[in-house]
Amino acid sequence: MKKTFGKKAHHCLKGVLVFSIFLAFLLTAPFSRISAKSSSDLYHIGAGIYDITGPAAEVRMMGYANLEQSSSGLHTRQWSRAFVIGDKNDENRIIFVSADLGIMPRSVKQEVVKKLQSEFGDLYTDDNVVLSATHTHSGPGGYSHYTLYNISILGFIKENFTTIVDGIYQSIVDAHHNVEPGHILVNRGKLEGTSVNRSLDAYYNNPESEIAQYEDEVDKTMTSLYFTNIAGEPIGTLNWFAVHTTSMTRDNKLISADNKGYASYLYEKEMETDYSEEKTFVAAFAQSHEGDVSPNIYDNGRKGYGDNEFESSEYAGRKQFEKAIQLNESASVKLKGSIDFRHSFVDFEKVTVAPEFADGKERKTAPAAMGYSFAAGAEDGPSGIDFFYEGMTQEKYPLGSVNITSFLQSMIGITPYFGWISGTNYPKLWKQHAPKPILFALAKGKPYPWTPSILPLQIIKVGQLKIIAVPAEFTTMAGRRLMNTVQEAMDDPDGLYVIAGLSNTYSSYVATKEEYDMQHYEGASTLYGPWTLNAYQQEFHKLATALKEGTEVDPGPTPIDLSTKQHNFQPGVVFDNVPLGKNFGDVVKNVKSSYKKGEKASVTFWSGHPKNNLKTGSTFLEVQRKDKDGNWIVVASDWDWETKYLWKRVTPGGATSQVTIEWDIPEDVEPGT
């Protein structure tokens, strides 16, 4: 890897930038304004980054739905990375945020936009703001307003929600204030050895003629943008690459931004990013159509590289980082042209799909429901429940049959809270969702549905680039079909198209009809029935056509606001103390007197509960070295990959706790005290 790309050597990159293309991001001013076309490659660009790390103890993590996976410390912090992009006259703007979160629920987007409008009026709205999640499975949950995504967390965690909203908002505010004229270079390339299709049986149920059009079973394309000001000084970088952020396993209990977070960390370390500054270099590795794409490249997506999950995360993250560096260094094309966008809310439980977007017949979507195979989990994160497996269809498990799943549903049916969603209560849904056997009828939840029905669809245009923001996890082929549909509607064969996955709300998965028929995990988790993808294609075709023709679109129905309907079933910190005769901070096990490079230094002490202070914008730990003048210089903090903050209760349910801090001493560290 070339080392001439750091901040110290950005003048070396400057020459490359002269011949490179710049990509800018999105937008036009509020929805009612249609921006004029322009051939200019000048944009107004700002970047910002802010801490969104949730409680580092005793909050269940979002992603694997593992009831035993509660946060017990911190490996890396979670960050919100924001980019503001305006056109050459800075009249039309868009915002793109990539956040180290498991999902991006409507609850967060709703509150962030509300705060933005309180500060900036109508400059930023639902229409021109994209919030996207990287999909790490190692962050505290409880920040959605929908029951399905909070149930394993034991409800809504207000402290985590507020930290996330405030952090995303602050990253945008910083980006807003950092806006300056500049350029956007764009480049694309294939990243090998980082991703595999974890659901091959379903993938190969797609038409052979369609599969033959592609070299790979996953989309290995990375699309990277590199932002500089007009002096050629770097502002930041943003890329999209489809791979699950699941190198860390369902057994991990340390907050971690996983492989995409590590890629960002490496890039920002290379560019000497200062997380305490409002203006600094920002490197975002955003998510794309990763629905069936695993970073665990061995044993059909079940095992990652190396001997443990940390080595697996390092490998997948470093591969993404090195590819982004290579693409940015060799970029030779600038984004040029107008910023524009279209946005619409669509009730996905009531879409009539025209014949030309289906199979030649008019089709309909259905109220949200999950299939039996949802409970099996994915190949790289199986639930371990023996009697659920991938491929459970109505043919094998018809409604009314006697089996363990029907017994479980009968038990669910008699409980006050869960009874409404028992699939056996709704024969009509079985017909609408066939061949999916209905485990949970999520749309039937009381007093409110357990998942959203009204979804935000959004396209952002920045010059040649079109960003298709989707509120779900699209499989490889589903993403390909949607990009093809938008490209055909735009009638722009030379344009650049990317899927920005997990954007603006979350509604589980989207598989192709053929994949859906197999009822693997992704198909069983496709909420609105077998024609879900076709409905997306139809509705995005409308947005793309309006974008091309410069016409407006129907804003659609307003999503339900559940912000005042939230409950939490997890107690806060009731007791927080130390044993008799001890003080907070008293050392239990001290460091050794000396260490060699490559060894692990550690210390254990009596601690307070980390829920009492999240250390937002700060750190739980510092590694310091004494310089020749006797001053202590910070070498590492809790966001550095080589440190770990490990918390534990000394006695279950007790009032006392201990923290162990570990530092894996790098080989290139400067020796000292």
Side-chain angles (χ1 to χ4, degrees):
M1 183 185 73
K2 299 183 217 177
K3 291 306 235 181
T4 59
F5 199 67
K7 190 174 184 182
K8 294 173 282 191
H10 74 261
H11 293 292
C12 296
L13 176 64
K14 223 163 147 183
V16 176
L17 294 179
V18 173
F19 300 101
S20 248
I21 98 161
F22 248 31
L23 165 318
F25 222 129
L26 305 108
L27 185 180
T28 170
F31 161 76
S32 61
R33 251 163 59 191
I34 306 298
S35 61
K37 296 191 181 213
S38 167
S39 60
S40 173
D41 61 11
L42 182 70
Y43 295 95
H44 286 75
I45 306 159
I49 184 169
Y50 204 81
D51 188 5
I52 56 170
T53 310
E58 298 188 315
V59 174
R60 288 176 178 169
M61 292 184 170
M62 176 70 217
Y64 289 117
N66 178 10
L67 301 184
E68 297 180 357
Q69 190 190 21
S70 291
S71 56
S72 299
L74 185 148
H75 183 211
T76 65
R77 285 197 169 263
Q78 300 167 273
W79 303 96
S80 171
R81 296 174 171 89
F83 299 88
V84 171
I85 302 171
D87 60 17
K88 68 172 184 174
N89 296 319
D90 202 18
E91 294 175 346
N92 301 319
R93 283 191 176 187
I94 61 93
I95 292 171
F96 190 93
V97 171
S98 178
D100 293 327
L101 296 173
I103 63 173
M104 184 59 71
R106 170 65 185 167
S107 57
V108 172
K109 173 86 181 275
Q110 174 180 280
E111 193 63 25
V112 169
V113 170
K114 186 185 300 182
K115 289 171 71 72
L116 288 172
Q117 292 187 319
S118 176
E119 178 70 18
F120 301 111
D122 290 333
L123 180 60
Y124 303 121
T125 70
D126 268 323
D127 295 351
N128 64 350
V129 174
V130 183
L131 305 186
S132 178
T134 62
H135 201 38
T136 176
H137 286 41
S138 293
Y143 48 92
S144 174
H145 285 166
Y146 284 98
T147 302
L148 179 66
Y149 308 119
N150 283 350
I151 193 70
S152 66
I153 317 296
L154 293 181
F156 181 72
I157 310 295
K158 184 177 180 180
E159 183 182 32
N160 194 29
F161 174 79
T162 300
T163 300
I164 291 167
V165 167
D166 290 349
I168 291 175
Y169 167 74
Q170 190 58 55
S171 71
I172 294 171
V173 170
D174 289 348
H176 172 91
H177 291 307
N178 291 336
V179 165
E180 58 183 318
H183 301 284
I184 305 170
L185 288 164
V186 61
N187 202 2
R188 312 186 93 168
K190 183 182 287 190
L191 173 54
E192 299 281 3
T194 311
S195 55
V196 296
N197 193 308
R198 69 185 188 188
S199 194
L200 287 174
D201 288 345
Y203 177 82
Y204 279 104
N205 201 48
N206 289 306
E208 291 184 10
S209 58
E210 183 179 32
I211 293 171
Q213 297 174 29
Y214 303 99
E215 294 181 5
D216 301 301
E217 296 156 338
V218 296
D219 193 337
K220 297 181 179 180
T221 303
M222 177 181 282
T223 300
S224 187
L225 306 181
Y226 191 72
F227 304 93
T228 70
N229 62 20
I230 55 177
E233 298 167 333
I235 293 173
T237 184
L238 166 64
N239 70 68
W240 294 267
F241 178 71
V243 66
H244 255 85
T245 320
T246 52
S247 296
M248 302 299 290
T249 70
R250 69 196 308 272
D251 298 320
N252 170 57
K253 296 183 179 181
L254 301 181
I255 293 175
S256 171
D258 209 293
N259 59 64
K260 285 189 177 289
Y262 185 54
S264 290
Y265 168 76
L266 288 176
Y267 212 131
E268 287 164 354
K269 190 173 182 179
E270 176 79 7
M271 302 299 285
E272 299 179 0
T273 294
D274 186 342
Y275 297 109
S276 66
E277 294 293 327
E278 294 181 1
K279 186 172 185 178
T280 190
F281 186 90
V282 178
F285 286 71
Q287 193 55 269
S288 192
H289 49 302
E290 57 26 282
D292 53 2
V293 187
S294 175
N296 303 309
I297 56 178
Y298 302 110
D299 192 21
N300 192 26
R302 293 182 177 87
K303 185 180 183 301
Y305 176 90
D307 295 330
N308 55 59
E309 57 193 331
F310 297 100
E311 291 184 6
S312 180
S313 294
E314 289 175 3
Y315 174 82
R318 183 171 292 279
K319 293 281 285 187
Q320 291 177 73
F321 157 66
E322 291 175 348
K323 188 63 183 180
I325 285 278
Q326 182 263 315
L327 290 174
N328 289 342
E329 286 188 326
S330 61
S332 60
V333 177
K334 287 180 182 176
L335 290 185
K336 58 175 63 176
S338 64
I339 289 177
D340 208 346
F341 61 87
R342 293 295 182 275
H343 177 285
S344 182
F345 288 110
V346 177
D347 188 341
F348 258 72
E349 295 184 344
K350 299 176 181 178
V351 178
T352 298
V353 183
E356 60 267 30
F357 290 100
D359 59 350
K361 299 179 181 178
E362 184 177 276
R363 301 292 185 176
K364 295 181 183 295
T365 56
M370 289 288 200
Y372 284 4
S373 295
F374 159 72
E379 285 86 342
D380 57 354
S383 67
I385 304 175
D386 291 339
F387 36 86
F388 287 105
Y389 61 91
E390 291 196 298
M392 299 174 77
T393 63
Q394 289 185 24
E395 182 181 10
K396 301 172 185 176
Y397 294 87
L399 181 62
S401 62
V402 179
N403 52 64
I404 186 65
T405 53
S406 61
F407 171 76
L408 288 174
Q409 290 204 324
S410 67
M411 293 297 99
I412 291 173
I414 64 175
T415 60
Y417 192 63
F418 291 88
W420 291 103
I421 66 166
S422 177
T424 53
N425 296 332
Y426 305 101
K428 183 179 178 181
L429 275 186
W430 284 63
K431 293 180 180 179
Q432 293 172 308
H433 282 262
K436 177 200 293 179
I438 306 301
L439 179 64
F440 296 133
L442 301 167
K444 305 298 183 179
K446 300 290 182 180
Y448 305 102
W450 281 31
T451 50
S453 62
I454 296 173
L455 304 183
L457 308 187
Q458 187 178 31
I459 303 178
I460 301 294
K461 173 187 178 294
V462 181
Q464 309 94 299
L465 180 67
K466 287 83 179 177
I467 301 164
I468 306 165
V470 298
E473 301 180 58
F474 276 56
T475 65
T476 298
M477 197 63 84
R480 287 167 172 168
R481 288 187 189 177
L482 182 59
M483 284 189 286
N484 289 339
T485 296
V486 172
Q487 187 169 15
E488 290 168 5
M490 295 292 297
D491 192 21
D492 179 21
D494 297 324
L496 301 172
Y497 296 82
V498 295
I499 297 283
L502 298 103
S503 293
N504 300 325
T505 196
Y506 184 70
S507 58
S508 298
Y509 281 75
V510 176
T512 69
K513 172 64 167 63
E514 294 83 358
E515 292 164 349
Y516 182 95
D517 288 345
M518 295 290 289
Q519 280 300 293
H520 281 227
Y521 173 75
E522 295 81 9
S525 302
T526 297
L527 291 182
Y528 310 107
W531 304 103
T532 299
L533 172 61
N534 306 76
Y536 270 101
Q537 290 177 276
Q538 172 180 283
E539 299 306 309
F540 266 106
H541 191 277
K542 295 177 183 177
L543 293 186
T545 300
L547 189 61
K548 172 192 170 187
E549 296 177 352
T551 57
E552 298 185 2
V553 295
D554 183 351
T558 303
I560 186 173
D561 183 352
L562 297 174
S563 57
T564 62
K565 315 296 181 183
Q566 300 306 303
H567 304 282
N568 181 279
F569 304 101
Q570 178 177 298
V573 181
V574 181
F575 301 107
D576 192 22
N577 213 330
V578 291
L580 189 65
K582 300 292 184 181
N583 296 307
F584 287 111
D586 282 355
V587 174
V588 176
K589 184 178 180 181
N590 212 338
V591 294
K592 297 192 299 185
S593 59
S594 65
Y595 293 93
K596 297 178 181 178
K597 295 178 180 181
E599 292 184 334
K600 185 191 300 290
S602 67
V603 61
T604 302
F605 55 91
W606 292 103
S607 171
H609 199 296
K611 268 190 180 180
N612 291 327
N613 187 342
L614 304 189
K615 295 290 184 180
T616 303
S618 181
T619 179
F620 283 109
L621 64 93
E622 287 182 347
V623 179
Q624 300 175 344
R625 183 185 67 251
K626 185 184 290 186
D627 68 12
K628 61 182 180 180
D629 297 321
N631 300 311
W632 290 100
I633 308 301
V634 176
V635 173
S637 300
D638 67 8
W639 56 75
D640 284 297
W641 190 261
E642 65 265 26
T643 63
K644 294 183 180 71
Y645 169 89
L646 306 141
W647 177 91
K648 70 173 183 179
R649 284 196 182 276
V650 175
T651 54
T656 63
S657 59
Q658 292 179 358
V659 159
T660 297
I661 292 173
E662 295 180 351
W663 180 43
D664 292 316
I665 304 171
E667 294 291 344
D668 60 353
V669 72
E670 182 180 338
T673 298

